[in-house]
Amino acid sequence: MAEHSNVAANYDEAIMAQVDNIQKEIAEIQPLISEKLDITCLQKEYAMDDFVYQTKIKDLSLNYSQVRKTRGDGNCFYRAFGFAYFEELIGNQVEYDRFKTLASQSKDELVSMGFPSFTIEDFHQIFMETIETVGKSQSVEGLLQTFQDEGLSNYIVVYLRLLTSAQLQKKSEFFENFIEGGRTIQEFRSQEVEPMAKESDQIHIIALTDALGVCVRVVYMDRGGNSSVNHHDFPEDGSQPLVNLLYRPGHYDILYQKL
């Protein structure tokens, strides 16, 4: 019996080691946020005779010229949104001033909603320091360095997750209509929103964009529909999108419109 337990333990350790190695390989090959790449680079990810995707990439290239890829680690939506929005703030003083005030006040609001201050203090501090640096005429290259630093980048992701969770709590009567499986808002927040590496869906996007007052356009590219891509704006109130994201099943990257 003991021998069987040892074999099982060794097997589990081998699996964990394999998973760790795979994650390390991904980290070495794929940065958290890439440099800007020509939109045609997406063609290389699919077979040339994959008519559906090759056609949709051509359609995508009619309106978008470049893409920044994000690491597929379950945090891609928050990381893509965070970088793209902060990049927008570099050249948008009015939006920067609005957001800086909102972000500064957000910690006290989270505490008032029951989030423990000692838990969120460090995350909020890094979040605000990044915003302050953006306001001091930071270059895009400097912002990219911040988001490619795993420690700093993950702190920003965590704080965006907390803001999303808080908005779900604040408007629970609205958001509970989107939750499947009979889970409560609290269960959904603790299981699907606050933990790192949990993938995001429309409910996360609706909550975060509502919390921050930022319009995001998500362009969908999958095997459904016709030969063109389609998009959805969050919120659908006619606002000008400040962030453009590309969604492929299970993953978000950043898009840049043609000038």
Side-chain angles (χ1 to χ4, degrees):
M1 195 71 176
E3 183 179 347
H4 177 74
S5 297
N6 289 335
V7 170
N10 291 337
Y11 185 66
D12 289 342
E13 288 176 9
I15 291 175
M16 291 301 295
Q18 184 180 25
V19 170
D20 287 343
N21 287 333
I22 291 171
Q23 290 175 340
K24 287 176 183 176
E25 287 176 12
I26 292 173
E28 290 172 2
I29 296 170
Q30 189 176 20
L32 292 170
I33 299 279
S34 78
E35 301 282 351
K36 278 186 178 180
L37 304 168
D38 191 276
I39 198 74
T40 56
C41 74
L42 297 176
Q43 294 175 334
K44 300 174 184 176
E45 297 184 24
Y46 304 95
M48 293 310 296
D49 60 357
D50 188 333
F51 177 79
V52 173
Y53 271 110
Q54 294 294 347
T55 303
K56 288 194 174 185
I57 291 167
K58 288 179 181 177
D59 183 60
L60 183 70
S61 67
L62 296 176
N63 295 307
Y64 298 93
S65 59
Q66 294 173 305
V67 61
R68 280 190 201 272
K69 295 183 180 180
T70 64
R71 186 182 297 172
D73 60 0
N75 300 309
C76 56
F77 163 67
Y78 294 100
R79 210 177 313 273
F81 169 83
F83 181 88
Y85 182 53
F86 281 19
E87 185 179 23
E88 167 67 22
L89 294 180
I90 291 175
N92 190 336
Q93 190 63 46
V94 173
E95 180 67 10
Y96 173 84
D97 291 340
R98 182 196 73 83
F99 180 68
K100 182 181 177 183
T101 299
L102 184 152
S104 179
Q105 297 170 349
S106 63
K107 180 173 76 75
D108 290 339
E109 183 175 14
L110 289 176
V111 173
S112 72
M113 295 176 67
F115 291 83
S117 59
F118 67 88
T119 301
I120 64 176
E121 183 75 42
D122 289 346
F123 300 113
H124 182 254
Q125 181 179 338
I126 295 296
F127 197 73
M128 290 307 303
E129 286 176 359
T130 306
I131 295 170
E132 293 277 358
T133 306
V134 165
K136 296 173 182 174
S137 300
Q138 183 186 41
S139 65
V140 175
E141 291 74 18
L143 183 65
L144 185 59
Q145 287 181 359
T146 297
F147 271 80
Q148 287 179 338
D149 180 302
E150 192 146 10
L152 297 174
S153 193
N154 285 346
Y155 266 54
I156 294 167
V157 167
V158 168
Y159 200 70
L160 290 172
R161 285 183 175 277
L162 292 173
L163 292 173
T164 303
S165 179
Q167 194 69 7
L168 289 168
Q169 178 180 325
K170 189 187 299 183
K171 297 189 175 181
S172 58
E173 289 187 6
F174 170 74
F175 284 111
E176 64 188 9
N177 298 310
F178 296 88
I179 297 175
E180 300 175 348
R183 286 183 290 183
T184 65
I185 283 285
Q186 176 57 39
E187 289 171 336
F188 182 81
R189 289 167 54 219
S190 63
Q191 295 168 8
E192 304 294 339
V193 182
E194 294 176 13
M196 290 288 279
K198 283 290 186 176
E199 294 184 0
S200 302
D201 208 340
Q202 287 197 5
I203 185 172
H204 304 78
I205 305 175
I206 295 169
L208 184 60
T209 55
D210 188 38
L212 302 184
V214 178
C215 183
V216 174
R217 173 164 293 176
V218 178
V219 181
Y220 295 91
M221 192 168 74
D222 54 31
R223 295 194 179 279
N226 52 31
S227 59
S228 59
V229 296
N230 58 72
H231 68 261
H232 190 97
D233 290 352
F234 301 88
E236 290 183 296
D237 61 0
S239 300
Q240 180 67 30
L242 297 181
V243 171
N244 292 273
L245 302 180
L246 172 65
Y247 176 79
R248 289 176 284 175
H251 188 68
Y252 294 86
D253 291 309
I254 304 168
L255 285 174
Y256 292 87
Q257 289 182 303
K258 285 188 171 180
L259 300 177

